[in-house]
Amino acid sequence: MDCLHESCSSIDKVWLPHEGHVGIKGLKSHVYCINCGAIKTISTDRPKKASYYINSLSKVDKRIIKLTKVQVRLIVKELERIKDFEDAYSMTRYTQEKTFIMIVKNYCNVSEGYIASILKN
Ligand SMILES: [Zn+2]
């Protein structure tokens, strides 16, 4: 993201459908960037730092997934390669989780449900 993002004033907020884990949850007012127009993610779905996802890998039950140091390094590399991963204007936690699950699945044979569960701990 090349824009430094500047929030619009609260009276200029736009009403948009709020998409969450269970689909559209009705309209919510969103802040947008007055420079590039990007819509900021609302607080409940604000993205987390990449380190949060990387740390969650350490919570993996070693009896369920055997993650080698090399695999962890490759997962971290892939996360870091995603542009705007931590950008609250273009990324939601929901998208982050889906992306993270997809990447981890590429490196070890484990169910999406299990990866999702370590993120909720
Ligand atoms: Zn912007």
Side-chain angles (χ1 to χ4, degrees):
M1 184 60 61
D2 304 314
C3 178
L4 289 173
H5 297 320
E6 211 178 312
S7 297
C8 67
S9 67
S10 51
I11 49 161
D12 287 333
K13 283 189 184 178
V14 283
W15 289 88
L16 291 169
H18 169 49
E19 232 174 306
H21 292 239
V22 286
I24 308 277
K25 286 197 283 202
L27 294 177
K28 282 241 164 81
S29 67
H30 290 66
V31 170
Y32 66 91
C33 169
I34 55 173
N35 298 319
C36 72
I39 304 292
K40 192 171 189 176
T41 308
I42 60 159
S43 57
T44 53
D45 202 27
R46 204 66 43 91
K48 288 185 177 289
K49 296 269 175 227
S51 56
Y52 165 82
Y53 293 94
I54 293 161
N55 288 337
S56 75
L57 288 174
S58 64
K59 290 190 272 181
V60 159
D61 189 332
K62 305 278 185 302
R63 288 164 302 184
I64 298 176
I65 321 177
K66 282 212 172 12
L67 268 180
T68 64
K69 279 189 178 139
V70 175
Q71 283 172 314
V72 171
R73 205 178 311 142
L74 289 169
I75 291 168
V76 170
K77 264 203 159 147
E78 278 212 37
L79 279 180
E80 285 171 347
R81 208 181 299 147
I82 300 168
K83 212 169 157 272
D84 308 329
F85 190 77
E86 297 175 352
D87 182 10
Y89 280 83
S90 54
M91 186 60 73
T92 65
R93 194 177 308 169
Y94 178 62
T95 308
Q96 279 186 324
E97 286 179 7
K98 278 208 304 197
T99 309
F100 177 74
I101 288 168
M102 217 181 61
I103 293 173
V104 175
K105 258 186 77 174
N106 282 342
Y107 289 99
C108 50
N109 187 23
V110 69
S111 74
E112 292 182 17
Y114 180 71
I115 306 166
S117 75
I118 62 164
L119 290 176
K120 286 186 178 72
N121 286 337

